[in-house]
């Protein structure tokens, strides 16, 4: 059976809203370390493959007021060269 992860995000740690960074520093500092490692799409692809995932739909996130900002363009760049990643764009009417 092929596994498709239909809802995943690329979370660039450097783009997290400051209150989210503080939250993760307090609640789960390992998250920030892992997020920095996964900024390399090759590392993410290898992790997913090791878990049996064949494809992953990667969602953009244009919510700088609440979480972080990952533009569609940055998403496309992240997914480029990784055949397993399917970029899924975001539309934010406020940006």
């Amino acid at each position: 059976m092929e596994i498709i992860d239909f809802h995943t995000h690329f979370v660039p740690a450097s783009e997290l809203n400051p209150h989210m960074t503080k939250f993760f520093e307090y609640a789960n500092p390992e998250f920030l370390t892992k997020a920095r490692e996964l900024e390399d799409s090759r590392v993410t692809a290898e992790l997913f493959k090791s878990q049996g995932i064949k494809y992953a739909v990667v969602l953009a996130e244009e919510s700088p007021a609440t979480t972080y900002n990952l533009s569609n363009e940055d998403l496309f760049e992240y997914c480029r060269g990784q055949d397993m990643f399917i970029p899924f764009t975001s539309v934010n009417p406020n940006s």
Side-chain angles (χ1 to χ4, degrees), residues 30-95:
E30 294 83 20
F31 172 84
L32 292 174
T33 301
K34 192 61 156 176
R36 288 183 187 102
E37 291 173 14
L38 297 176
E39 287 183 9
D40 182 336
S41 63
R42 296 169 298 185
V43 173
T44 305
E46 287 304 314
L47 173 65
F48 283 15
K49 289 175 187 175
S50 76
Q51 300 300 308
I53 297 170
K54 176 92 174 170
Y55 297 104
V57 177
V58 185
L59 305 164
E61 180 82 19
E62 295 200 58
S63 301
T66 56
T67 53
Y68 65 96
N69 192 54
L70 177 67
S71 70
N72 294 325
E73 294 79 14
D74 290 341
L75 173 69
F76 292 139
E77 184 61 34
Y78 183 76
C79 293
R80 181 172 286 133
Q82 300 299 332
D83 292 339
M84 74 176 308
F85 292 154
I86 302 165
F88 194 91
T89 60
S90 174
V91 176
N92 182 341
N94 298 315
S95 63

